[in-house]
Amino acid sequence: MIQNNTENTTNSLNKKTEAWSGRFNEPVAELVKRYTASVGFDKRLAEFDIQGSIAHAQMLGAQGIIAAQDVSAIEHGLAEILAEIQSGKFEWLLDLEDVHLNIEKHLTDKIGDAGKRLHTGRSRNDQIATDVRLWLRATTDDMITGIRKLQTSILDLAEMHFDTIMPGFTHLQVAQPVTFGHHLMAYFEMLQRDVARFEDCRKRINRLPLGAAALAGTSYPIDREMVAKTLGFDGVCENSLDAVSDRDFAIEFTFASSLVMTHLSRFSEELILWSSPRYAFVDIADRFCTGSSIMPQKKNPDVPELVRGKTGRVTGHLVALLTLMKAQPLAYNKDNQEDKEPLFDTADTLLVTLEIYADMLRGITVKKDNMRQAAAEGFATATDLADYLVKKGLAFRDAHEAVALAVRYAIDKGCDLSDLSLAELQKFNPMIDSGVYEVLTLEGSLASRNHIGGTAPNQVKAAIARARK
Ligand code: ARG
């Protein structure tokens, strides 16, 4: 037994405010206290802090570093504290700076000297790194669940519209006809990669820093593997200096989150355009929109606009975290305390965005006729006419030229290519025959793109079926 439970310590947490007051001649200034305290936001980590402390105490007990009765006093005390926190009875004190010292002081008030032994072989530096990883691991799992739910919403909508015709755009100009289902499935794919990014990031989150102590490790005969196992980590952080100072995992998480927001921001931009009266492709359910206090006719797509706006906020958090890290020497610096608020806000923003988005997609109605009409108006089948001529033996560049002249002619005449007579079309190339009208139709154009990844309705249907798995 390295410490016995009758030992009497001076400079008790009970007598002085700060855990380190033995070393100082004057108390921390009030303003500085407020400036340096993190309890206002890191109390959110309490549950994970307690989980980590229990695992640490059990290991200290198993290794004979503290007595078995101390371990059980710590376990019971911490369980009570957790209940107090969860019921809102716990009193958080700014004077106690952060989540760790608040809980430790409260524990010592409850159980006496055993509480003072909990911090043996540990520092707040490896403690906070552990808390953040535990919280982030759970949050990453929530994120993946949230994305999956949104993907299901996308699939439901895509299934209803696997053959609904709309114009596909490049440069925001009508390019070629696609199906609305195909368009939606593009977002499914983006989110699929987003899930993979979170899953990959989770592997790096799921390593145990505890045991690194302040920076160099500890002289007690600790068993890090045991703590890792108790807390469900895949293994331990290999280097103690890295363990207390690394926040890559948090940056990666924020990057993965920024990318999800970026994808949803693009989607939002489209919903905003499509729901505007000029496009009138879709209608967003009223519960996701607001009116104007002055213009009675308005229905504003607030939710997609805010998603687009909040993307800036989350990307800002990514930049904040990268900047926070860029000039830090090894190992731990207090700068790292500034990682929490951006991280928490990133998670809160993305989680609620995912939830609201999944619901909003269920409230989308599609104005098929308008979509179809827009596809029919923009010479969307011009490429199909060129391909038709190539299949008749013309070189693609020559076919492109012939069709460009035909498009110009149709623009001057104020009609679509399919409205031109056979005689008119033949002026641009004599090989054109009556079969041309099949490729000039929107359905013909769609059906011809019949390969994996193409927009032919049967391919879209197959893509949705694969995605359901
Ligand atoms: N509140 C700190 C943080 O969030 C944890 C404690 C840091 N340790 C220290 N020696 N000041 O990173």
Side-chain angles (χ1 to χ4, degrees), residues 349-458:
T349 304
L350 184 50
L351 280 172
V352 68
T353 299
L354 289 168
E355 192 183 334
I356 230 172
Y357 227 91
D359 194 25
M360 183 172 66
L361 292 187
R362 285 187 283 269
I364 296 271
T365 40
V366 175
K367 298 171 174 171
K368 288 189 184 189
D369 292 346
N370 294 347
M371 278 188 175
R372 189 192 167 91
Q373 201 187 331
E377 276 168 5
F379 300 99
T381 56
T383 317
D384 296 274
L385 178 56
D387 291 342
Y388 167 88
L389 289 171
V390 169
K391 284 166 199 161
K392 296 253 177 212
L394 211 59
F396 182 77
R397 280 289 155 232
D398 294 334
H400 185 283
E401 167 81 6
V403 177
L405 292 171
V407 167
R408 196 144 91 186
Y409 176 83
I411 289 172
D412 289 345
K413 214 181 153 192
C415 69
D416 191 56
L417 285 177
S418 58
D419 299 324
L420 299 177
S421 70
L422 186 57
E424 283 175 302
L425 285 167
Q426 282 171 338
K427 276 194 265 169
F428 300 99
N429 192 290
M431 284 188 288
I432 295 175
D433 60 34
S434 60
V436 73
Y437 292 103
E438 263 163 58
V439 308
L440 287 180
T441 64
L442 296 171
E443 281 79 4
S445 170
L446 286 178
S448 68
R449 285 161 169 79
N450 187 16
H451 52 77
I452 190 160
T455 193
N458 63 306

Side-chain angles (χ1 to χ4, degrees), residues 38 42 98 100 124-125 128 247 332 334 336-337 340:
S38 57
D42 67 16
D98 57 24
H100 321 299
R124 282 185 298 154
N125 296 352
I128 186 63
R247 296 291 183 273
Y332 178 84
K334 189 80 164 187
N336 281 337
Q337 182 165 293
K340 314 260 175 331

